[in-house]
Amino acid sequence: AAGYRFKAKDPIPDPRYPADQQVMVGPIPGDIEHDVIYNNLRSIFQSRGAVCFMFIHKSAVKDSITGNQIKFGYVVFAEKGIAQKVLKEETVTFGGGHKISVKPMGKSK
């Protein structure tokens, strides 16, 4: 089995989990410490419902529009309904008002 790699520019769902339980998060400000981002987002998402898996890129990339350093990641929820509820919110906010976008993973079939 080929290893799955999350790509923010073309986020396809992680094949290990149902696609409709996954959401992409980002852009996230790249100047925030990785552990802070991960722990804050994980607690935000777990407050919505059970999280099976979460991944945030360790290295930031340069935003082609703003030039700022940004990171992306994704979350897999235990239930489709939780993922859909989070997607309806469109953003989550943490640490001093950083609004982080939440989008569907890839093309839904």
Side-chain angles (χ1 to χ4, degrees):
Y4 169 78
R5 286 186 58 88
F6 171 72
K7 296 182 191 81
K9 285 193 186 345
D10 183 24
I12 58 165
D14 186 329
R16 295 173 296 179
Y17 306 100
D20 57 9
Q21 290 173 211
Q22 301 178 46
V23 300
M24 178 175 150
V25 291
I28 304 160
D31 57 350
I32 303 171
E33 202 177 307
H34 182 79
D35 290 348
V36 172
I37 293 169
Y38 189 91
N39 294 331
N40 275 295
L41 286 178
R42 186 148 184 121
S43 63
I44 288 167
F45 291 126
Q46 283 183 317
S47 74
R48 308 291 196 277
V51 171
C52 293
F53 182 78
M54 188 171 120
F55 171 82
I56 304 293
H57 272 294
K58 278 205 188 294
S59 53
V61 294
K62 193 173 184 174
D63 186 327
S64 55
I65 299 160
T66 65
N68 296 335
Q69 292 292 311
I70 53 173
K71 294 181 179 186
F72 290 91
Y74 70 101
V75 183
V76 181
F77 291 98
E79 295 167 31
K80 171 182 160 183
I82 302 163
Q84 301 310 311
K85 194 172 94 181
V86 170
L87 285 170
K88 281 192 183 96
E89 292 177 34
E90 293 182 354
T91 60
V92 294
T93 306
F94 82 87
H98 294 289
K99 278 200 177 306
I100 312 297
S101 293
V102 181
K103 300 180 190 90
M105 283 281 275
K107 311 285 174 273
S108 45
K109 296 194 169 37

